[in-house]
Amino acid sequence: MLGMARRAGRLSFGHDAVKDALRNGEAETVIFACDASDRLKDELTALADINSVTAVVTGFGSSEFGKSTGMKSIAVISVNDAGFAKRIIELTTQEE
């Protein structure tokens, strides 16, 4: 699902891009790799909470997370489309 959202241009990758998406009201959800730093998770989760955006920590490491999006390694992504965000959250909660 992340690959499809990436091809559609509906993802932001990395700290700065996700932060910008949150500030601009584009982000529908924020997704963290399980090995993302606590500082990164705390900062972006607080910003997501302010903007009423769901933040989710996956069970995937940053290298696995990156591969699913066609990148080498990535610790945080924002999904900037409501439909993709809803489906990704559904899939994430099913895995738990």
Side-chain angles (χ1 to χ4, degrees):
M1 186 60 58
L2 286 174
M4 288 175 51
R6 179 180 178 265
R7 288 188 294 280
R10 305 308 296 157
L11 298 179
S12 296
F13 301 96
H15 174 269
D16 293 338
V18 170
K19 196 172 182 179
D20 288 344
L22 284 164
R23 286 183 175 160
N24 296 331
E26 298 169 356
E28 296 290 333
T29 191
V30 176
I31 306 169
F32 296 98
C34 63
D35 56 355
S37 73
D38 290 336
R39 182 175 153 239
L40 176 70
K41 287 187 270 192
D42 291 345
E43 177 184 356
L44 293 179
T45 298
L47 191 55
D49 287 345
I50 290 169
N51 292 293
S52 301
V53 172
T54 303
V56 178
V57 178
T58 67
F60 299 104
S62 56
S63 61
E64 295 169 309
F65 203 43
K67 286 179 188 175
S68 69
T69 58
M71 303 182 82
K72 287 186 179 184
S73 179
I74 194 80
V76 64
I77 294 173
S78 70
V79 181
N80 306 327
D81 178 88
F84 280 121
K86 179 180 176 186
R87 184 64 181 138
I88 289 168
I89 290 171
E90 288 172 358
L91 292 171
T92 302
T93 55
Q94 285 177 358
E95 292 172 6
E96 296 171 358

